[in-house]
Amino acid sequence: MSSVRSNGQRKRVFIRTYGCQMNVYDSDRMADVLRPLGYALAAVPEQADLVVLNTCHIREHASEKVYSELGRMRDLKVERRAGGSDLTIAVAGCVAQAEGEEIARRQPAVDIVVGPQAYHRLPQLLAEAERKAAIAKAGKRLPGAGVLDTDFPAESKFDHLPAPMGVRAGSAFLSIQEGCDRFCTFCVVPYTRGAEYSRPAAKVLAEARQLVEAGAIEITLLGQNVNAYHGEAPSSSLGGGTTWSLARLIREIAGIEGVARIRYTTSHPRDMDDELIAAHGEVPQLMPYLHLPVQSGSDRILEAMNRRHGRDLFLRLADRLRTARPDLALSSDFIVGFPGESDADFDDTMRLVEQVGFASAFSFKYSRRPGTPGAAMDGQVPETVKSARLHALLVLLADQARAFNASKVGQTVPVLFAEPGRRPGQLVGKTPWLQSVYANGQVRLIGRIVAARLTEGHANSLAGEIVTVDDPGACEAAA
Ligand code: 5AD
Ligand code: SF4
C-alpha cells in the first residue's frame, strides 16, 4: 500500500466524528493506526485521500446524517476520478456496525465499512480496498471497493493499537471499558458495541502513564457503562481480589505524578457502589462533577426501560454523593416520550429534576431504534407530545444550569484552558465542575491550570478573569 501520492506528497486522512466521547477517542486511535502508514491529518475532506466517517447510531437523527454526508463524499469522489485521482471513503462506528450491508447498498461509493471492534485491522482493510479499487477503476466503474469488517474479533483491539497520541491541551481520553450488558430497552449500544469488556488494569495504568508523559494533566476515563468496570488486577497487586473496580483504578491513577484531574463517563446508577461514592470525597484529583444518566423520574417508565432501579435509588444516590462531596455538580441524560409515558409519568421526571437540581443535562425525544425492545412496544408517543415535553424539560434544566453557573460568580477557581475563544485574545477552559469559562489570556496558557475569578454566569458558560499566572504558588493553590 502506498503512503504517498503520485506527486510525492504525503497522503492525508480526514476523520469526521459523530456522537459520544467514545467515538472521539476511537477517532484519535484510528489516526494513530493510520500515522505509521504515512497518513497525516487533513482539516477538510477536500484535502484528503481518505475520509473516515466515525458514526453514531444512538438516535435516528444521528444515523440519518451519515447518509447525507456520504452523498457529499460520493460527489467528491466523482470529481476526483474525473481529474484522474481518487478518494477512499470509509464508514466506521456504530452505524457501520448496525447497518453495514445497508450502507454498501445505499451508497455504493463507500470503500470500507468497519465496526468499532475492528479498527486495528484498518491497514489490511485499506490494502484490500486499494486492490479492489484498482480493479474497479480498470473496469471504469464508479462504485467503491465495498470491503466490510463488522466482526467482534476474539482479540481485543486494544492489544493491537499503537500507543495513544491523543493529548489535546493537557486533556486526554482513556477508554477503559466498552460495550454494555444492561440492555436498556431503548438503547442500541449492547448490539453495536457488543458485550461488556473491561481492559486489564495494568494496561490502563500503562496507557495513563504514557498519556501523562505525552503532556496530559487531565484524564477522562471512558466507557459505555464505565462504572461497571471490573478489569483484571495487575499481577503485582496485593489484596483487593482478582479484579479492580473503577474506584480502585481511580485511586491508582491519582497516584501517578502529574495527574491533576480525573473524570469518568458514562455511568449507570446501579453501578455506583460505596467505594466509588467514597472516592468522590477522598480523591482530590477526582473532579466534583458526575454525569449520571437517570433517563426518567417515573418508576413505571424506568421499569419499562429495564433500568433496574426506581426514582428513590437515584434520589438516595444524589444525597450520598453530595454528602461525600458537597460541591458535586450532577449532570444527567433524560429521554421524554418513551412508549407508554403518560402526563403523570412525565410530571414525575419534572419533579425529580426539581428535587435533585442539575448543573447540566442532555435531554432527548425517544427515538425508535430498530431491533431494540422499545421499538416494538405499544403506546408510542406522538411527536407533538414529545416535543412539548422536551421543551418543558429543557426550560427547567436551563434555569437550573443558569442558577448553578451564577452560584459560582465571585469565586476564584482553577481553570484548565483548552483552546482560543471566539474573540481575539480570548481563551476558553473548564472549571472543576466542567463549566466553560471565557477569559482573556495568552495562548501559552493553553493546557495549563490557571486561577481565574468568575465574573459573569450565563446559561452555558461563564466569563472570568485570570488572576495570576506568574506566581507559581498561586497556580498550585488553584490546582
Ligand atoms: N432515543 C432517545 N435517546 C436515547 N438515548 C439512548 N438511546 C436513545 C433512544 N433510542 C440517550 C440516553 C443515553 C444517551 C447517550 O442517549 O439518554 O443516556
Ligand atoms: Fe445503553 Fe447505557 Fe443502558 Fe448500556 S446502560 S444499554 S449503554 S443506556
Side-chain angles (χ1 to χ4, degrees):
M1 186 181 10
S2 170
S3 63
V4 286
R5 298 172 178 163
S6 49
N7 62 7
Q9 281 177 350
R10 248 181 112 179
K11 284 197 172 175
R12 289 185 178 272
V13 55
F14 173 79
I15 307 180
R16 174 156 284 154
T17 309
Y18 300 84
C20 65
Q21 286 159 328
M22 295 293 285
N23 270 10
V24 176
Y25 176 86
D26 282 346
S27 289
D28 281 347
R29 305 317 309 274
M30 283 191 266
D32 293 340
V33 171
L34 294 169
R35 199 172 295 111
L37 302 183
Y39 281 92
L41 286 178
V44 288
E46 287 70 21
Q47 292 168 357
D49 305 275
L50 165 65
V51 167
V52 179
L53 304 184
N54 190 6
T55 61
C56 171
H57 197 246
I58 200 96
R59 284 170 291 276
E60 190 179 357
H61 180 65
S63 53
E64 279 307 311
K65 272 199 283 198
V66 174
Y67 289 101
S68 51
E69 185 65 7
L70 280 177
R72 280 193 287 277
M73 293 307 117
R74 177 195 176 274
D75 294 346
L76 199 53
K77 187 178 192 127
V78 171
E79 233 174 75
R80 288 284 173 84
R81 288 204 178 165
S85 61
D86 207 349
L87 175 71
T88 306
I89 303 173
V91 183
C94 291
V95 180
Q97 188 65 45
E99 299 178 11
E101 307 280 344
E102 196 183 337
I103 292 169
R105 202 179 57 246
R106 275 178 71 173
Q107 188 43 271
V110 170
D111 294 280
I112 297 171
V113 175
V114 56
Q117 307 308 323
Y119 295 152
H120 56 294
R121 296 180 179 168
L122 263 173
Q124 293 94 297
L125 298 174
L126 271 168
E128 199 181 332
E130 203 166 280
R131 195 179 53 79
K132 281 194 171 178
I135 296 169
K137 240 191 213 165
K140 301 221 176 322
R141 290 191 291 115
L142 173 71
V147 176
L148 192 102
D149 188 347
T150 52
D151 283 354
F152 287 104
E155 78 275 11
S156 161
K157 69 176 175 191
F158 293 109
D159 293 337
H160 298 270
L161 289 167
M165 307 277 279
V167 179
R168 287 196 193 94
S171 289
F173 291 132
L174 202 178
S175 176
I176 64 168
Q177 182 275 337
E178 267 209 272
C180 186
D181 294 337
R182 286 220 165 263
F183 289 93
C184 301
T185 52
F186 52 81
C187 185
V188 288
V189 166
Y191 311 97
T192 57
R193 294 275 177 164
E196 204 278 322
Y197 168 76
S198 294
R199 291 175 71 189
K203 297 209 165 144
V204 173
L205 288 178
E207 190 166 323
R209 286 192 200 98
Q210 278 171 350
L211 291 169
V212 171
E213 265 167 40
I217 55 175
E218 174 179 78
I219 294 183
T220 301
L221 305 175
L222 295 180
Q224 258 97 26
N225 184 11
V226 73
N227 58 342
Y229 179 82
H230 57 279
E232 182 195 322
S235 50
S236 58
S237 82
L238 296 172
T242 51
T243 60
W244 277 10
S245 63
L246 178 62
R248 175 76 196 264
L249 194 61
I250 287 171
R251 285 179 196 273
E252 298 287 335
I253 291 174
I256 299 174
E257 202 183 325
V259 175
R261 293 182 165 194
I262 302 172
R263 304 180 183 279
Y264 63 91
T265 195
T266 287
S267 304
H268 192 292
R270 275 288 298 269
D271 294 306
M272 286 309 301
D273 59 22
D274 296 351
E275 217 191 333
L276 189 53
I277 295 171
H280 276 278
E282 293 165 7
V283 180
Q285 292 101 323
L286 185 56
M287 288 292 100
Y289 169 92
L290 175 62
H291 182 66
L292 189 59
V294 62
Q295 316 294 359
S296 168
S298 152
D299 281 339
R300 230 172 50 81
I301 295 300
L302 286 168
E303 190 175 349
M305 288 175 164
N306 191 32
R307 295 290 288 179
R308 297 173 184 271
H309 69 81
R311 62 181 280 133
D312 276 355
L313 178 119
F314 190 85
L315 294 172
R316 247 184 305 124
L317 275 177
D319 279 349
R320 291 181 61 207
L321 283 157
R322 283 174 170 155
T323 303
R325 179 84 204 221
D327 67 337
L328 186 86
L330 271 175
S331 157
S332 202
D333 289 341
F334 296 91
I335 295 177
V336 298
F338 186 78
E341 187 187 71
S342 65
D343 286 342
D345 292 318
F346 176 65
D347 254 16
D348 284 346
T349 299
M350 295 291 275
R351 299 293 86 78
L352 179 132
V353 172
E354 282 165 2
Q355 222 170 316
V356 174
F358 291 94
S360 66
F362 301 90
S363 316
F364 312 100
K365 290 192 260 187
Y366 171 67
S367 168
R368 223 168 159 170
R369 306 310 290 129
T372 60
M377 282 182 188
D378 291 338
Q380 299 288 330
V381 175
E383 267 315 294
T384 48
V385 175
K386 285 186 199 169
S387 298
R389 288 181 187 164
L390 182 67
H391 179 73
L393 181 58
L394 285 174
V395 168
L396 177 58
L397 288 165
D399 281 350
Q400 293 192 344
R402 216 173 288 114
F404 180 73
N405 289 342
S407 75
K408 301 285 180 198
V409 171
Q411 293 187 19
T412 297
V413 305
V415 174
L416 172 52
F417 284 102
E419 57 190 357
R422 262 165 285 154
R423 300 211 192 111
Q426 201 182 46
L427 302 179
V428 53
K430 294 284 186 198
T431 70
W433 306 278
L434 211 63
Q435 299 150 294
S436 293
V437 174
Y438 291 84
N440 287 327
Q442 294 174 9
V443 173
R444 72 184 170 89
L445 299 180
I446 289 176
R448 286 177 55 186
I449 294 173
V450 176
R453 200 173 69 83
L454 303 175
T455 54
E456 275 171 51
H458 307 285
N460 299 314
S461 66
L462 290 127
E465 290 167 357
I466 290 172
V467 171
T468 173
V469 283
D470 291 318
D471 171 4
C475 288
E476 267 161 38

